Amino acid sequence: MYKTVENTLFIGKKIVFVPTCTSTNDLAIKLLQQPAAVEGTIVVTDSQTAGRGQRGNQWQTEPGQNLTLSIILKPVFLAIKDQFYLTMVTALATYDFLKTQSPIPAQIKWPNDILIGGKKMGGILIENQLQGDSISSAVIGIGLNINQKDFVFHTATSLSLVAQHDFTLQEIFALLLSHIESRYLMLRNGHHDTLKRDYLQNLFQLNESANYLHNDQQFTGIIRGIDAWGKLIIETEQGMESFDLKEVSFL
Amino acid sequence: MAKARTTKPVKKEAPAKKTSSTNQTDMKTSEIRDLIDFIAHSGLNEVNVETKELKLYIKREPDQKILKSAAPVAAAPVVATAPATVIAAPAAAAAPKTEVAVAAGKKTADIKSPMIGTFYRSSNPETPPFISVGDKVTKGQTVCIIEAMKLFNEIESEVSGTVVKVMVENAQPVEYDQVLFVVEPD
């Protein structure tokens, strides 16, 4: 069903399509054992039976309605401490792609959720393989709600709900991958500052006063940025504080 | 997680001195075999044996037995290495599911964290740990996951050997360069 992508250099030249699988990331990680798993290989499915969000959280979609794929990359040039740039690259590329399709601009909810109109329409799950001091490979899992109309949670949405029409998955698949390649090449060419600037520019609630939760305590703060590790920097009454994923939640 | 276990140290006299070193080795081999047979039928889950020459620690899991021997207690190096080399064969013969790790006189290697993050021993809460004490690990094998900011990093072992110690509890934060596992290289 998915054809190789034409307008890219290396992403999407080899595509592994499976009608159903537990998770495209799991399959991609298995593929890494084989020499044929070249950089840019895509694993894509119509139906994930055990899709994962954040560790343990399930990501549920209707079969054949959405984009569910994993990209194999080999970012050996990237220092382990700079790995948050992989999140920035993927989130930004998804943002870029949505900009061409959605009447409302998308936003990136730290660290890696994709929102449209304040509702979640996509998520990213990145799994790296580390070898000594370098990232030998990275599996970039992306799940985007495209044509699905019904959601269990009112906090979820899809591109078709926002754009009021359906999309051809093969077309937007190719488009998304070309945006991923562009942003990934920026990283490979060392444009870290641009990536970080663009990521922050499209970050949900940046420079806005909002409520957050830390250790079961609600507080009001303003997101000011991210640190080198990708931690969220929030300006609170105590001054600038950085928060790990488990240390803060959005309210 | 908590398993009922019986721990009972077994005192054992050092074997009587023989004139030939071959005889001495043979005797140890058969002694160890007898000991494993004894433990296999005893219903004990953990047994510690200490002699002048060697220190044996045998642990039985619900359906398998892990057997390993720690470094000898201040024994003369020559005597210490002798029993170590003979343990493997009889142990395997006596109990096929038994894993043997020999530490006598050998150095260990550390698997360290290459980054700050949260340490996970398995790929998800439902699956068993990548490696446990007594397991063989090969170079390039995934030993754990360290997560930071929703990026999950599979850490590969840079040595082949046997896991002798797990240094960090599941889901605990780890620092850069912190020791995660101790491995006895092959």
Side-chain angles (χ1 to χ4, degrees), chain A residues 83 126 128 130-131 246, chain B residues 147 150 152-154 156:
Chain A
Q83 60 178 269
I126 301 179
N128 298 324
L130 305 190
Q131 230 165 29
K246 292 159 208 74
Chain B
E147 176 268 334
K150 266 194 189 181
F152 295 85
N153 295 271
E154 294 184 352
E156 293 184 359

Side-chain angles (χ1 to χ4, degrees), chain A residues 119-162:
Chain A
K119 290 184 175 188
K120 182 166 171 170
M121 71 82 61
I124 295 161
L125 183 73
I126 301 179
E127 295 179 85
N128 298 324
Q129 288 70 42
L130 305 190
Q131 230 165 29
D133 291 333
S134 68
I135 304 172
S136 57
S137 53
V139 170
I140 315 283
I142 305 173
L144 297 180
N145 296 333
I146 304 297
N147 291 326
Q148 188 170 337
K149 306 288 188 300
D150 300 313
F151 292 95
V152 179
F153 301 104
H154 69 279
T155 50
T157 192
S158 69
L159 185 55
S160 70
L161 281 178
V162 177

Side-chain angles (χ1 to χ4, degrees), chain A residues 24-199:
Chain A
T24 53
N25 268 31
D26 289 350
L27 192 55
I29 288 169
K30 275 196 196 116
L31 275 181
L32 282 172
Q33 315 285 327
Q34 301 170 9
V38 292
E39 183 165 46
T41 300
I42 309 295
V43 176
V44 56
T45 189
D46 269 348
S47 171
Q48 270 196 148
T49 56
R52 282 172 290 147
Q54 192 190 346
R55 206 178 154 80
N57 292 350
Q58 283 218 335
W59 176 254
Q60 286 179 329
T61 69
E62 284 175 10
Q65 299 295 302
N66 305 307
L67 266 190
T68 313
L69 59 98
S70 297
I71 307 161
I72 290 176
L73 295 176
K74 312 238 166 144
V76 285
F77 57 87
L78 190 66
I80 290 174
K81 66 172 175 55
D82 290 336
Q83 60 178 269
F84 195 72
Y85 280 97
L86 291 174
T87 298
M88 291 195 244
V89 159
T90 314
L92 268 177
T94 308
Y95 166 86
D96 295 341
F97 149 73
L98 288 170
K99 204 173 169 182
T100 67
Q101 303 296 317
S102 169
I104 314 166
Q107 282 189 304
I108 302 160
K109 184 181 167 190
W110 179 85
N112 57 5
D113 283 344
I114 305 298
L115 306 182
I116 300 185
K119 290 184 175 188
K120 182 166 171 170
M121 71 82 61
I124 295 161
L125 183 73
I126 301 179
E127 295 179 85
N128 298 324
Q129 288 70 42
L130 305 190
Q131 230 165 29
D133 291 333
S134 68
I135 304 172
S136 57
S137 53
V139 170
I140 315 283
I142 305 173
L144 297 180
N145 296 333
I146 304 297
N147 291 326
Q148 188 170 337
K149 306 288 188 300
D150 300 313
F151 292 95
V152 179
F153 301 104
H154 69 279
T155 50
T157 192
S158 69
L159 185 55
S160 70
L161 281 178
V162 177
Q164 308 255 304
H165 66 87
D166 278 1
F167 293 81
T168 310
L169 291 181
Q170 164 66 35
E171 279 174 25
I172 59 168
F173 168 79
L175 195 58
L176 172 67
L177 292 183
S178 69
H179 282 289
I180 300 241
E181 188 177 85
S182 303
R183 287 291 184 176
Y184 182 63
L185 288 174
M186 284 177 73
L187 177 62
R188 205 156 79 177
N189 293 328
H191 300 301
H192 293 66
D193 292 348
T194 312
L195 286 169
K196 190 169 174 181
R197 184 200 66 202
D198 291 355
Y199 177 85

Side-chain angles (χ1 to χ4, degrees), chain B residues 45-100:
Chain B
N45 284 326
E46 274 186 37
V47 175
N48 278 304
V49 179
E50 264 186 58
T51 71
K52 271 182 189 161
E53 292 92 350
L54 85 159
K55 193 173 167 186
L56 254 182
Y57 169 62
I58 299 173
K59 185 173 135 192
R60 193 210 309 262
E61 293 291 354
D63 59 347
Q64 66 171 1
K65 222 161 44 169
I66 290 165
L67 187 151
K68 62 193 179 68
S69 132
V73 222
V78 185
V79 209
T81 48
T85 48
V86 299
I87 289 174
K97 275 189 170 177
T98 299
E99 288 198 48
V100 183

